[in-house]
Amino acid sequence: MNDLDTFSALLAPEGQSLLAELRDHDPADELAAATRLRREYPAPLVSAALGQARLRQRAVAKFGADARLMYFTPNGVEQSTRATVAAHRAERLAALGVRTLADLCCGIGGDAIALARAGIRVLAVDRDPLACAAARANAEALGLAGLIEVRCADVTEVDTAGYDAVFVDPARRSKARGGRIFDPEAYSPPLSWAVEAARKAPGAALKIAPGVPHDALPEDAETEWISDGGDVKEAVVWFGAAQGGAGRITPGGRRATLLPAGDSLLGAGLPDPEPGPVGDWLYEPDGAVIRAHLVADVARRIDGRLIDPTIAYLTADRLVETPYATAYAITDVLPFHVKKLKALLREREVGIAVIKKRGSAVEPEELRKKLKLGGGRKSCTIFLTRVAGAPSMLLGHPAADAP
């Protein structure tokens, strides 16, 4: 039985009954569960169902409660877009007036689901038959089959004429190379092909790795870096005429969007701010802001400056609230010295330390071992960084904890 046959068996009544039994499955009891279930079901079906149960549990982090109803492949769990990010992108496409869309490289259909929920009719295309089978099953399981057509084909051969937009999510992992692909032209399909496909459509969104070099980005498109809960998840290259509203596209623009709140900062093309002395407040920009090269835009909002020309920490003399950076009250700015830091923390009865680094060769966990913090209840945030080129340590605490 091949993978596709096994997957089809899971969709049959016997497979559905088996999956229902495993809905609240505890992975720690897998051996006992397998032994028990093989008395009632064929062994290959039991193995497939247990594998699907594991994948569903892993997928909860990305898909929430939907994961209990969905179907996954190992690659599908690993490479699918987090549901919150997919929903943001789908809502922006809907705001641009998109009503029909070709989802190229759809995988198990995570993005197609978000698009359909935003009211967009989707043609979902992938060349992997197993991924297509999962995408169809997911559309059915979530009641969206009427809005999602799944087609197994090479995306480079699909005619997208007549659709309002295309969405392309090229594969960025390689079995042959053993991991992630960082060269956009090594994507499958290559970024250059995706860009040309986007330019032929009325509108388009291309999902790419957030670490993409800025010089590889097309200047006739807007690029948006998206973080969710503080973690940078992806970048999206947007094509299309500006149509107003919240989804408006700015060709050549660089944008940082922070989920779940949805705050979105469009860059103004500002020069880097001048460095200066550390003030009373330190600001740590969100990762999407840094990836989008918008630190200068945040500096303008807080009337801040860099602590070092090469470090993405900002400082200011007063507290200004901004969603684009986390503020810390700074109590000490000291040259880096482990023994002095250890003595200072002991004197202040600090037992809890959050250690952050940027531009420092020191590893936080190695420093933590050397500090040998005691049982004190006081906490401290330690920044290992450079100030005006010199290795330094800044001590403080989050603005929310400031007196």
Side-chain angles (χ1 to χ4, degrees):
M1 182 179 289
N2 62 35
D3 288 346
L4 197 55
D5 289 339
T6 302
F7 185 82
S8 297
L10 286 176
L11 301 179
E14 190 175 37
Q16 292 292 289
S17 175
L18 182 50
L19 285 173
E21 286 196 45
L22 290 170
R23 184 158 294 170
D24 298 315
H25 169 63
D26 182 351
D29 297 331
E30 184 161 310
L31 182 59
T35 302
R36 173 177 57 81
L37 292 170
R38 282 171 182 155
R39 300 190 190 109
E40 304 176 46
Y41 301 94
L45 188 60
V46 171
S47 295
L50 284 167
Q52 194 61 225
R54 288 194 298 271
L55 292 174
R56 284 177 168 181
Q57 288 169 348
R58 284 174 53 196
V60 168
K62 284 189 174 182
F63 292 93
D66 282 344
R68 294 168 62 88
L69 302 173
M70 292 174 67
Y71 298 86
F72 299 96
T73 65
N75 284 343
V77 173
E78 185 71 26
Q79 299 178 22
S80 290
T81 305
R82 183 181 291 262
T84 49
V85 179
H88 161 74
R89 193 190 309 109
E91 289 162 6
R92 189 172 183 194
L93 283 161
L96 288 167
V98 172
R99 295 296 174 262
T100 60
L101 177 142
D103 177 2
L104 308 180
C105 308
C106 69
I108 55 96
D111 283 287
I113 289 166
L115 291 161
R117 283 176 169 166
I120 298 172
R121 187 171 294 276
V122 184
L123 169 65
V125 184
D126 203 285
R127 67 182 179 183
D128 181 353
L130 185 58
C132 288
R136 288 192 191 96
N138 288 333
E140 289 280 354
L142 298 176
L144 299 168
L147 287 170
I148 300 173
E149 174 194 347
V150 180
R151 185 183 302 174
C152 191
D154 185 330
V155 298
T156 64
E157 299 175 359
V158 174
D159 182 7
T160 60
Y163 290 90
D164 296 335
V166 297
F167 170 63
V168 189
D169 181 6
R172 292 178 298 282
R173 288 181 179 272
S174 169
K175 292 181 181 179
R177 300 186 185 193
R180 294 182 180 179
I181 297 171
F182 297 98
D183 177 7
E185 285 309 295
Y187 291 175
S188 180
L191 181 59
S192 58
W193 178 88
V195 168
E196 288 309 308
R199 286 173 174 153
K200 294 175 184 176
L206 313 180
K207 175 182 170 181
I208 58 175
V212 64
H214 279 231
D215 59 10
L217 298 171
E219 283 302 319
D220 57 338
E222 176 189 301
T223 305
E224 177 184 29
W225 282 261
I226 304 171
S227 67
D228 189 13
D231 295 327
V232 183
K233 295 300 180 184
E234 65 180 54
V236 185
V237 182
W238 294 91
F239 290 83
Q243 299 183 32
R248 179 171 180 158
I249 293 169
T250 303
R254 302 291 184 261
R255 181 185 298 274
T257 298
L258 283 53
L259 302 177
D263 296 291
S264 196
L265 177 63
L266 179 65
L270 301 176
D272 290 339
E274 291 296 320
V278 177
D280 293 335
W281 301 92
L282 185 78
Y283 290 81
E284 182 181 27
D286 184 271
V289 169
I290 295 172
R291 293 281 193 178
H293 296 181
L294 302 184
V295 173
D297 297 79
V298 176
R300 172 176 286 186
R301 285 169 172 253
I302 65 170
D303 191 22
R305 54 193 177 271
L306 293 170
I307 65 170
D308 183 278
T310 64
I311 303 295
Y313 281 138
L314 294 168
T315 187
D317 301 317
R318 62 188 182 94
L319 178 62
V320 178
E321 290 188 8
T322 175
Y324 302 110
T326 303
Y328 295 84
I330 297 301
T331 57
D332 301 88
V333 181
L334 305 167
F336 179 76
H337 196 288
V338 176
K339 288 185 178 180
K340 289 183 179 178
L341 177 61
K342 183 177 180 180
L344 184 60
L345 296 180
R346 185 186 301 115
E347 177 186 332
R348 295 180 181 176
E349 299 179 340
V350 171
I352 303 169
V354 176
I355 304 174
K356 295 173 171 285
K357 61 170 277 185
R358 186 163 292 164
S360 171
V362 179
E363 291 300 327
E365 288 310 309
E366 288 299 314
L367 176 60
R368 189 182 303 280
K369 292 177 184 177
K370 294 177 180 179
L371 293 177
K372 298 179 181 178
L373 297 174
R377 294 185 178 181
K378 295 182 179 179
S379 63
C380 178
T381 302
I382 303 167
F383 295 89
L384 307 176
T385 187
R386 291 195 302 273
V387 175
S392 303
M393 48 190 189
L394 280 57
L395 278 59
H397 47 265
D401 299 336

